[in-house]
Structures are given as C-alpha cells and as structure tokens.
Amino acid sequence: MAAPLAVTPSTDVPEQVDRPLLTYYDDATGERTALTASQLGGWAARTAGLLRDGCGLGPGSRVAVLLPPHWRTAAVLLGAWSVGMAVSFRPRATAGLPVLEPGGDRPYDAVFVTPQRLDDWLEDVPDGVHRYLVGTAPGALADVPAGWLDWSAEVLRHTDTPPDYAAVHPAAPATPDGTSYAVWGRLAKEVAAQLDLRPGDRLLVDAAEHEQPVKWLLAPLAAGASVVICTNLDPAGSADRMAAEQITRVL
C-alpha cells in the first residue's frame, strides 16, 4: 500500500511495535481506544478494500468525508488516500456554507458522514453513489436509514492485510481541487515543523479546536510522532492525561 500523501513516518528512532500511534479519548463516555501503527494500518486497509473491491472505485474517484477527529476518521482518510482517491474533507465548522470545488455539482463516488451531521438541518450533506454512516461510539450503529450503510459493519467484510495496490503518483490529485499528493505531503511536513514535532513526540489534540487532518493526522505522521485525540476534553483531568500518555506537545 502506498504511503498516503507521500508522508513517510520518520525512521530516526527505533520502531516501537506496541506503542500506540493514535489514541482516542472521549471524556464524556470514558472511551479510550489505542491503535498501534499496524492496527491503524489494518483499519485503513479494510477501508481501502471497501472502496476498491466493495465499491469498485480507484485512483481519481471522489470521496467526501464529513467526520470529526477520530480514529475511524483516520482509517477512512488513510484508506481512501492509499488507493489514490481525491478526498474532500469537510469540517463541522463549514456547516451551512457552500462548498465550491470542481465537479461539486455531481454526486461523489462515496460519502462518509456521522449520524449527527446527517440529521443536522444546517448541513448540506453531498449526494454519493456509495453512502456510509460512521459512528463515533464503539460498536455498530443501532439505526441506519434507508440508502445508507454502517461503515463499522461493512468494513469488516474486507481483510486488514494491505493488498498489492499500485503506487500513488505524487502528482495525482489528493483533493478534488487538484492539490497533489506531493503538495499535501510537503504541507504536512511544514505544519510539523511549525509545531516543532519530532520523532517520538506525543501530540495531545483537543478535537473541538482542531478539525483539519493536516494538523491532527498528517503532520504527526510526517514527523514520526504519535497523537492523542481528546473529544469532550475535561480540563480538570488534563494534567493526569498528559502524564499518563507521556505527552510532549500540545496542539
């Protein structure tokens, strides 16, 4: 599987196979999900298989993602990018605003959205040929409306072993506006440098403040750092969280 956005994790530090690459907290529910690089890669491979083999999509296909910072969002993004798709990421902050991009007047090849945003009257969820609901709580969704599928169930139909996909060309568009994989890769490295991220760092991210994946996902990967995403962050427990997770940087 090709490295997404030409972002290759740093090899300046010894590989720690069992160390989480991405940890997700929801302080409102007490959820903690920790994924190693291998585990996150497995979920990305399942998503890639869902898109390529389940939906018949491939390089150049257009995918809309309306999801918050979350480990499942990382799996969807990395899975789509790993097979050369152009991903339109739409943060919650854009709800109610028109999204202008080439081809925006025709359905996307696949759409991923949370149930909350699907039901939000402010949202203009784009139409898609293949439509998936992605829950942010553990387990499958209790209710899936007609015309939609539960990502958490459908993705398990595919293997977590990365297949032999063709390498993604650096000049290929990573987003529908035509921005290439190479450009996004350079941007991720620039953001990592601005955040002073270094190999082995642990980055704490408040999900409510930073929705763009170039900050909470791509920049840490580019720097060889790991990330701890916190939803409904409880300030009272932040000191304990930082100590327990060995946080070295805060976003």
Side-chain angles (χ1 to χ4, degrees):
M1 182 177 293
L5 302 192
V7 175
T8 303
S10 172
T11 56
D12 293 343
V13 295
E15 182 180 7
Q16 295 176 288
V17 177
D18 296 329
R19 182 175 182 178
L21 176 65
L22 189 151
T23 304
Y24 174 78
Y25 280 92
D26 186 340
D27 285 353
T29 65
E31 177 190 353
R32 179 184 184 273
T33 299
L35 300 176
T36 64
S38 177
Q39 291 169 328
L40 180 57
W43 284 106
R46 289 183 187 276
T47 303
L50 172 65
L51 290 167
R52 194 193 77 160
D53 303 324
C55 300
L57 304 180
S61 295
R62 297 164 59 250
V63 178
V65 177
L66 290 78
L67 304 174
H70 194 279
W71 73 264
R72 288 179 169 178
T73 305
V76 168
L77 292 172
L78 296 176
W81 277 324
S82 70
V83 286
M85 298 183 184
V87 177
S88 174
F89 183 83
R90 303 187 180 193
R92 180 66 181 85
T94 62
L97 300 176
V99 177
L100 303 177
E101 58 188 23
D105 56 344
R106 58 186 173 88
Y108 284 83
D109 297 298
V111 174
F112 297 85
V113 63
T114 61
Q116 295 83 359
R117 292 184 67 174
L118 181 64
D119 294 336
D120 189 339
W121 67 272
L122 281 175
E123 289 283 3
D124 183 16
V125 177
D127 193 15
V129 178
H130 304 276
R131 304 190 295 176
Y132 296 95
L133 285 183
V134 182
T136 54
L141 294 171
D143 182 35
V144 179
W148 292 84
L149 295 172
D150 181 354
W151 172 87
S152 67
E154 298 301 317
V155 78
L156 293 177
R157 303 179 188 274
H158 301 272
T159 178
D160 62 357
T161 301
D164 294 328
Y165 291 130
V168 176
H169 195 282
T175 48
D177 64 1
T179 304
S180 70
Y181 280 81
V183 170
W184 277 109
R186 288 196 296 272
L187 178 60
K189 293 179 180 179
E190 290 172 3
V191 173
Q194 292 169 3
L195 297 175
D196 196 26
L197 290 176
R198 302 176 184 182
D201 271 339
R202 293 276 282 167
L203 177 68
L204 178 67
V205 178
D206 183 348
E209 298 295 329
H210 302 283
E211 290 187 272
Q212 291 291 350
V214 70
K215 286 189 174 181
W216 64 262
L217 179 64
L218 299 181
L221 288 182
S226 56
V227 60
V228 178
I229 303 170
C230 294
T231 297
N232 301 309
L233 182 62
D234 180 7
S238 60
D240 291 340
R241 173 74 44 76
M242 291 180 65
E245 293 291 346
Q246 301 179 333
I247 299 299
T248 61
R249 295 285 187 275
V250 177
L251 181 59

